[in-house]
Amino acid sequence: MAHRIITQVVITGARVFSRAVGEAWKQASAAQKYGSAHGKGNPISASNFKSSGLTLDEACKILNVKPPQGGKANMEDVLGRFKRLFDVNDPNKGGSFYLQSKILRARERIEMEVREATEAAEEAAELKAGWNPKVYKGR
């Protein structure tokens, strides 16, 4: 009698486990297809989570600043808000280390966006000006 109960428990457990594995497999497969479909044609969306999972919109909301327009942002305002929020959330003063790290990542994300936009603008200006090598006529 006891062996029947043990067998039923094992079989039921195996069924539950196999269903859970199947569902997890389906979800992982769908997530992979979704990510690859949206990442191929749109390089901007693929780079949305470069800095530890924060989008630019989330970073701006954390620091309560406007998103960079055309790659330009008021960095004094960003740094001022960063310093104030970073100090307020200092764990030694009773703040949260988690919030402090989110604030740091938000500042890094905004700085990265501004840096990339500046580099792209410089590269475009260089391409527009053309390549002018220094050629010495005497040689």
Side-chain angles (χ1 to χ4, degrees):
M1 185 74 161
H3 67 289
R4 277 185 129 177
I5 295 172
I6 293 173
T7 305
Q8 286 179 342
V9 168
V10 169
I11 290 174
T12 304
R15 284 183 188 165
V16 169
F17 182 73
S18 65
R19 286 182 187 158
V21 168
E23 287 298 317
W25 184 269
K26 286 179 189 176
Q27 287 180 357
S29 156
Q32 183 181 13
K33 287 178 185 176
Y34 178 81
S36 65
H38 291 304
K40 283 182 184 175
N42 191 357
I44 294 173
S45 71
S47 69
N48 264 351
F49 295 99
K50 284 184 179 177
S51 179
S52 70
L54 280 179
T55 63
L56 180 61
D57 188 42
E58 289 173 329
C60 291
K61 285 180 182 177
I62 289 171
L63 292 177
N64 195 22
V65 295
K66 293 180 182 176
Q69 301 296 325
K72 299 185 185 209
N74 186 357
M75 291 308 291
E76 292 91 21
D77 189 32
V78 171
L79 290 176
R81 290 181 192 262
F82 163 74
K83 287 178 184 176
R84 189 180 68 75
L85 291 171
F86 194 80
D87 290 339
V88 166
N89 287 296
D90 187 10
N92 296 332
K93 297 177 184 176
S96 169
F97 179 73
Y98 173 76
L99 291 177
Q100 199 177 39
S101 65
K102 280 291 195 182
I103 292 164
L104 177 68
R105 298 296 172 232
R107 183 204 59 163
E108 289 175 347
R109 174 68 176 161
I110 292 172
E111 286 177 346
M112 180 188 65
E113 283 292 323
V114 170
R115 185 177 345 105
E116 286 180 354
T118 304
E119 289 172 359
E122 288 174 357
E123 184 177 321
E126 185 178 314
L127 288 174
K128 186 178 180 182
W131 186 60
N132 296 322
K134 295 182 179 178
V135 178
Y136 299 103
K137 292 184 178 182
R139 291 187 188 184

